[in-house]
Amino acid sequence: MSTPLLIAVLLLLAAAAFEFGRRRALQVAGPEFRTLHSLPRYYGSYTALWCALPALILLGAWLAFEDKIITILVIADLPAAYQSLSEPELNLIVNDLRNQLSGNVVSRELNLDMQAAVKHYGSLRATSKAALAVIFLSVAMLGMGLAWRKIAPDFWARNRVEAIVKVLLIICSTLAIFTTIGIVLSVLFESIRFFRAVPVFDFLFGLEWSPQTAIREDQVGSSGAFGAVPLFAGTLLISLIAMLVAAPVGLTSAIYLSEYSHPRFRAAAKPLLEILAGIPTVVYGFFAALTVAPLIRDAGTNFGLDVSSESALAAGLVMGIMIIPFVSSISDDVINAVPQSLRDGSLALGSTQSEMIRKVVLPAALPGIVGGLLLAISRAIGETMIVVMAAGLAANLTVNPLEAVTTVTVQIVTLLVGDQEFDSPKTLAAFALGLMLFLVTLALNVIALYVVRKYREQYE
Amino acid sequence: MLNQKQAVLLERPAKTNDVLPSAPVKIQDTDTKTVGQVTVDKPIMTTRNVDVYYDDKQAIRNVSIDIAYNEVLSMIGPSGCGKSTFLRCLNRMNDTIESARVTGSIELEGHDIYDKKTDVVTLRARVGMVFQKPNPFPKSVYENVAYGPRIHGLARNQSELDEIVETSLRRAGLWDEVKDRLREPGTGLSGGQQQRLCIARCIAVNPDVILMDEPCSALDPIATARIEELIDELRQNYSIVIVTHSMQQAARVSQRTAYFHLGDLIEVGETSIIFTNPQHKLTEDYLTGRFG
């Protein structure tokens, strides 16, 4: 039986187990069903969990180790001549065996020994499959039976079920943590490889970014320069422009929506504003590249300025529009969270509404607003698509927003797109950049969280 | 020092004690008639036939009552009877509630406070309010008290402002407790201190009338006693209208008492008379604990 089929059967069994457990509980209790320690459905859940969980664990372990064990067995049965081969060569042979078995192309003619091995491999696989099905279903039945037998009026099924559910919750919550750790570690190790080729100092403080490395020894002019400063400068420049757009517009719109607007207008305008956050960034990207950038270039020409058709300004402006909802939505929530009693207190002293907003509401909401701004900044720093399309790829070290610049994320994309060798510094640089970017946004997020938490202690 | 502060306040155009009040609006006869002494000889505020609606629901009906200078008027009655709603009409705090609608006439020294020409900001500077739950701003003690004088421009320089803050805190009976912690957040004080800080904040703009909406309901008995003493002292300079759920408190602090019942003003009179010899059956039932 195939694995999906096995799981389907198991689910059916578990459903049956639930019903068996429930009935058993009612049956053992008889007319005194109120004396049951737990509700009947807990006895059902207990039986179902005992039926499904051990079998699933077994299935997982089996699928993880099946292939390795079969390979070891096949190699052990190969004639002695093969046993002395080195490990890569053995791997090649095993690969051929597998390909032959599943009908794919093989790299060589198979001799008699090999054909025997293929047959052996095939039979082992078939046996394993059959054994798995039998053992899997028996474990499920056994688990169900054991749980079923335990059911008694004074058996604490609810506590057991809740303990199991708690363990499942813990596993799920740690899953995300371990994934994060895994990503960080993989980026970290690749970065260490990169820093073996390029000194950390050159990477962090180098002023030139030109990641073309020589593929052949005799190639000229592509020695590669991995100074990350222009990239981070470009990132900062574009993020700064974006925040110059998003912070004032987002904040004032939040103030208007939460303090001045009619509730009906707010109910309509807030979701509309949040739609901005739902537009795919690639759409913003071509809006920036095809509409805003030419507009800026033409406007610049009228003023006698030399504007390149891909400029930091275009990308920054559009990115600013994109993150307005982050600023306005969070600020709006935070401003709304300022207690009405503070507003009343201020109004009752004869303050105007604007005095109340400036002197009481905004100071009370400020830490939360700062938290929202920081989240928007980390969003801006991580943004890629708009910059790829509107700001260009040239790693200029400049503060002039009318020139083309590039950002960390854009360079990571271009480094990894196309055919790449995974041991050249050019490719590995992407991981180093990723690590740096991760550290920067992490720091910003930590600051944001810290500020937001501090804000919670403000009143109450 | 006080004279100087009062001089500053008197310069404000809205504070026009010398303007002749218009003839008081007559109380119209309606089916619900308040018993007892509604009017006083020289009122600072008069309300005539005031109705308040929230959307279509009428919260108070036909309330007419005078507030005298230097008196404490307490308003009692069961929950939901409209005491707080009426209180909030007196400095137009009901304006902040979208659905609230007020009809009738409310005058402060002869000026209709719901008139189009009345600036609600000046009105609230003259009719201050203290709320049920202490609501100091999340600023320092000093900044809390200095807030009102700052927004109304009552001090020309820092030393004048310092003086106003100190006087207000002294009058609120809080100065000795906080003089060493003026820069600490007002939210860090105890509940009773916070409420006295709110009272200090209110009297820092030197209002004529102070409205108090159950100012002691969130406080312990000792803090309550402290505030009640303070209310009695404040009567020398201000008119005070206090909403309270505690009949004992009304009896202790007020000169006149108004009894509200389901949106109607049932009875008004000298506190001593109301508590010893109520004229209306509902008042008597409430005071003797038959409901409420």
Side-chain angles (χ1 to χ4, degrees):
Chain A
M1 278 200 274
S2 64
T3 315
L5 186 63
L6 279 179
I7 291 176
V9 171
L10 182 72
L11 287 181
L12 282 179
L13 267 179
F18 179 86
E19 196 52 31
F20 287 154
R22 206 177 65 86
R23 290 210 181 144
R24 165 81 173 168
L26 285 172
Q27 187 202 338
V28 292
E32 300 294 305
F33 66 92
R34 284 197 190 84
T35 61
L36 277 175
H37 171 267
S38 314
L39 289 173
R41 65 163 183 272
Y42 281 108
Y43 293 94
S45 305
Y46 181 75
T47 324
L49 282 172
W50 263 104
C51 168
L53 281 184
L56 280 177
I57 293 169
L58 173 92
L59 181 69
W62 195 288
L63 292 179
F65 296 111
E66 182 189 32
D67 210 48
K68 261 192 191 136
I69 294 173
I70 292 180
T71 310
I72 291 171
L73 289 178
V74 170
I75 291 175
D77 269 17
L78 281 174
Y82 291 94
Q83 307 282 355
S84 54
L85 287 174
S86 69
E87 198 172 332
E89 284 171 310
L90 264 178
N91 276 344
L92 276 178
I93 290 172
V94 172
N95 263 337
D96 276 339
L97 296 181
R98 273 186 206 147
N99 286 338
Q100 173 73 16
L101 197 61
S102 45
N104 288 343
V105 183
V106 280
S107 63
R108 69 187 97 181
E109 279 294 308
L110 297 183
N111 58 27
L112 278 178
D113 286 341
M114 303 273 277
Q115 277 169 7
V118 169
K119 260 190 199 156
H120 184 55
Y121 200 115
S123 74
L124 276 177
R125 254 196 194 173
T127 319
S128 158
K129 232 177 188 173
L132 172 64
V134 171
I135 298 176
F136 178 76
L137 292 178
S138 345
V139 167
M141 303 290 275
L142 192 72
M144 177 172 22
L146 283 176
W148 191 79
R149 275 186 46 151
K150 271 191 150 177
I151 291 173
D154 58 350
F155 176 67
W156 290 22
R158 173 166 43 79
N159 307 48
R160 303 292 180 93
V161 170
E162 278 168 3
I164 296 173
V165 169
K166 198 169 136 196
V167 171
L168 288 179
L169 292 180
I170 291 173
I171 291 173
C172 288
S173 63
T174 46
L175 208 63
I177 297 172
F178 281 118
T179 314
T180 314
I181 293 175
I183 292 175
V184 172
L185 285 183
S186 80
V187 170
L188 187 67
F189 285 128
E190 299 296 331
S191 304
I192 290 172
R193 280 176 69 192
F194 170 75
F195 289 128
R196 271 190 212 129
V198 177
V200 181
F201 188 84
D202 290 0
F203 175 74
L204 288 181
F205 301 104
L207 297 182
E208 201 192 336
W209 177 263
S210 154
Q212 268 61 41
T213 44
I215 295 172
R216 300 186 312 275
E217 289 292 322
D218 55 342
Q219 211 168 359
V220 199
S222 302
S223 54
F226 294 96
V229 171
L231 306 188
F232 280 95
T235 303
L236 284 182
L237 180 63
I238 289 183
S239 304
L240 187 74
I241 296 172
M243 289 314 290
L244 285 179
V245 175
V249 176
L251 202 54
T252 44
S253 76
I255 291 172
Y256 175 72
L257 283 181
S258 59
E259 297 293 332
Y260 289 103
S261 74
H262 192 275
R264 252 181 294 165
F265 177 78
R266 180 167 184 264
K270 210 182 170 202
L272 283 176
L273 201 62
E274 279 163 5
I275 286 178
L276 279 179
I279 298 176
T281 56
V282 69
V283 176
Y284 279 111
F286 63 68
F287 173 64
L290 302 182
T291 311
V292 177
L295 210 67
I296 291 173
R297 191 191 52 207
D298 295 347
T301 319
N302 286 340
F303 288 104
L305 293 171
D306 187 21
V307 186
S308 63
S309 48
E310 292 182 319
S311 65
L313 190 59
L317 285 180
V318 174
M319 199 193 283
I321 303 284
M322 184 190 79
I323 55 180
I324 283 175
F326 288 86
V327 179
S328 73
S329 196
I330 293 177
S331 304
D332 181 61
D333 290 345
V334 173
I335 289 174
N336 265 325
V338 173
Q340 182 64 32
S341 65
L342 289 185
R343 294 165 214 268
D344 283 350
S346 176
L347 288 176
L349 286 171
S351 73
T352 65
Q353 194 164 7
S354 78
E355 280 166 342
M356 172 195 86
I357 293 168
R358 275 183 289 122
K359 299 192 169 173
V360 173
V361 176
L362 286 186
L366 188 67
I369 292 172
V370 171
L373 289 177
L374 285 174
L375 287 181
I377 292 176
S378 23
R379 178 73 206 247
I381 289 177
E383 175 50 38
T384 314
M385 222 45 232
I386 294 175
V387 194
V388 171
M389 294 167 101
L393 297 172
N396 295 326
L397 183 55
T398 175
V399 289
N400 180 0
L402 303 178
E403 276 186 54
V405 296
T406 192
T407 66
V408 178
T409 50
V410 169
Q411 285 308 311
I412 292 178
V413 172
T414 49
L415 288 174
L416 292 179
V417 166
D419 288 341
Q420 304 292 351
E421 33 179 353
F422 260 81
D423 50 359
S424 84
K426 182 189 167 190
T427 318
L428 293 173
F431 291 97
L433 287 176
L435 183 69
M436 284 292 296
L437 198 59
F438 171 75
L439 290 179
V440 170
T441 43
L442 181 74
L444 280 176
N445 278 330
V446 168
I447 295 171
L449 278 179
Y450 173 77
V451 171
V452 169
R453 191 172 308 147
K454 206 171 164 198
Y455 158 72
R456 284 206 187 110
E457 297 167 358
Q458 194 93 76
Y459 17 79
E460 291 318 317
Chain B
M1 177 208 72
L2 253 182
N3 294 334
Q4 183 194 23
K5 183 183 154 201
Q6 278 167 343
V8 173
L9 287 163
L10 278 172
E11 280 163 23
R12 280 188 295 156
K15 195 123 173 178
T16 44
N17 279 324
D18 47 350
V19 170
L20 284 174
S22 51
V25 180
K26 282 239 176 75
I27 303 175
Q28 290 161 12
D29 281 335
T30 45
D31 47 342
T32 54
K33 198 156 173 11
T34 308
V35 299
Q37 192 53 43
V38 170
T39 56
V40 297
D41 279 348
K42 205 167 162 254
I44 182 165
M45 289 190 89
T46 57
T47 76
R48 292 294 177 263
N49 304 99
V50 173
D51 292 332
V52 181
Y53 300 86
Y54 292 120
D55 288 325
D56 294 334
K57 200 177 150 288
Q58 190 162 12
I60 56 175
R61 258 185 308 276
N62 195 31
V63 172
S64 302
I65 190 172
D66 284 354
I67 298 154
Y69 283 95
N70 300 339
E71 79 160 351
V72 179
L73 169 67
S74 65
M75 304 203 291
I76 58 171
S79 296
C81 67
K83 317 176 291 272
S84 294
T85 297
F86 179 67
L87 191 74
R88 290 168 67 92
C89 290
L90 297 178
N91 68 344
R92 290 181 55 179
M93 281 305 280
N94 279 340
D95 290 11
T96 58
I97 299 167
E98 199 87 24
S99 60
R101 193 159 53 80
V102 181
T103 64
S105 126
I106 302 177
E107 292 186 347
L108 173 62
E109 291 187 328
H111 300 277
D112 184 359
I113 67 166
Y114 279 89
D115 192 86
K116 273 192 195 125
K117 284 184 209 148
T118 304
D119 185 0
V120 68
V121 166
T122 338
L123 169 71
R124 287 182 189 149
R126 297 187 61 193
V127 184
M129 190 163 195
V130 176
F131 295 85
Q132 184 168 1
K133 216 179 135 211
N135 58 348
F137 303 129
K139 302 172 184 287
S140 69
V141 172
Y142 183 92
E143 287 299 319
N144 262 287
V145 182
Y147 183 85
R150 278 217 174 103
I151 58 177
H152 294 297
L154 300 189
R156 272 167 298 196
N157 52 44
Q158 186 62 40
S159 63
E160 272 185 28
L161 189 62
D162 289 347
E163 247 173 44
I164 294 179
V165 169
E166 181 177 341
T167 317
S168 309
L169 284 170
R170 274 193 198 283
R171 282 200 188 170
L174 194 60
W175 174 253
D176 293 330
E177 289 161 66
V178 300
K179 64 180 177 218
D180 300 323
R181 39 198 293 209
L182 289 176
R183 301 287 154 199
E184 286 172 33
T187 41
L189 301 177
S190 76
Q193 288 174 328
Q194 285 189 18
Q195 194 62 297
R196 276 181 281 148
L197 178 61
C198 292
I199 293 174
R201 186 174 74 181
C202 177
I203 57 187
V205 292
N206 206 25
D208 298 315
V209 181
I210 302 176
L211 311 175
M212 295 187 173
D213 190 354
E214 299 181 36
C216 302
S217 65
L219 304 180
D220 64 74
I222 293 170
T224 300
R226 192 75 194 75
I227 302 255
E228 285 178 5
E229 275 171 40
L230 176 59
I231 290 172
D232 203 48
E233 287 162 23
L234 290 175
R235 186 161 68 89
Q236 312 304 321
N237 298 298
Y238 310 97
S239 300
I240 295 170
V241 185
I242 176 171
V243 165
T244 175
H245 260 126
S246 152
M247 284 174 269
Q248 291 83 344
Q249 184 170 63
R252 283 192 298 261
V253 300
S254 68
Q255 283 75 52
R256 284 203 306 151
T257 298
Y259 172 66
F260 282 74
H261 182 80
L262 298 176
D264 292 314
L265 177 55
I266 302 295
E267 183 168 354
V268 185
E270 299 280 324
T271 301
S272 52
I273 296 173
I274 284 246
F275 275 87
T276 51
N277 188 17
Q279 295 172 37
H280 200 286
K281 181 84 173 56
L282 281 169
T283 319
E284 189 184 344
D285 287 352
Y286 183 72
L287 291 176
T288 50
R290 222 158 286 170
F291 66 86

